[in-house]
């Protein structure tokens, strides 16, 4: 009977080890899936950061172009004001001559 009891204990031990091994494999599989998801999320984050950086560069270029356009418009406005003043002076001179 002692040999039968030992064989039965060994069989239970084998089933116990198989159960623990199965749990460990399942746990490792779950960890690998979680790690894969995290890597994909990190990759997506890096992609979004890259896109944001490209968008910022485009916005900066647009702002610089707008500043340049505003400077040019200010110069044109100054020239137009000068011409309006000259026209007004010429009109006054012409009115004075016609009197």
């Amino acid at each position: 009977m002692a040999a039968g009891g030992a064989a039965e204990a060994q069989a239970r031990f084998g089933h116990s080890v198989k159960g623990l091994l199965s749990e460990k494999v399942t746990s490792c599989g779950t960890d690998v899936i979680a790690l894969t998801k995290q890597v994909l999320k990190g990759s997506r984050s890096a992609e979004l950061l890259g896109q944001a950086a490209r968008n910022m560069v485009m916005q900066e270029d647009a702002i610089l172009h707008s500043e340049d356009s505003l400077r040019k418009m200010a110069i044109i406005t100054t020239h137009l004001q000068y011409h309006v003043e000259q026209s007004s002076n010429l009109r006054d001179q012409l009115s004075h001559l016609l009197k």
Side-chain angles (χ1 to χ4, degrees):
M1 270 243 204
E8 187 178 320
Q10 192 175 11
R12 272 189 268 148
F13 178 74
H15 286 314
S16 175
V17 168
K18 285 181 184 177
L20 289 173
L21 208 59
S22 177
E23 287 176 22
K24 201 65 165 165
V25 167
T26 301
S27 174
C28 285
T30 303
D31 290 346
V32 167
I33 290 170
L35 178 63
T36 303
K37 286 180 180 178
Q38 193 64 33
V39 167
L40 291 174
K41 185 188 274 186
S43 175
R44 180 71 178 140
S45 295
E47 184 180 319
L48 290 174
L49 282 172
Q51 182 64 40
R54 286 188 293 277
N55 289 343
M56 284 181 64
V57 168
M58 288 173 43
Q59 289 296 322
E60 186 177 4
D61 287 345
I63 289 169
L64 292 174
H65 180 72
S66 296
E67 287 176 349
D68 188 46
S69 295
L70 285 172
R71 265 189 242 103
K72 289 177 182 176
M73 284 191 277
I75 291 169
I76 291 170
T77 302
T78 301
H79 286 146
L80 286 173
Q81 287 172 343
Y82 172 77
H83 288 293
V84 167
E85 287 175 20
Q86 289 300 318
S87 296
S88 180
N89 289 343
L90 288 173
R91 186 190 49 156
D92 291 344
Q93 287 176 5
L94 186 60
S95 290
H96 181 69
L97 289 174
L98 291 175
K99 286 184 182 179

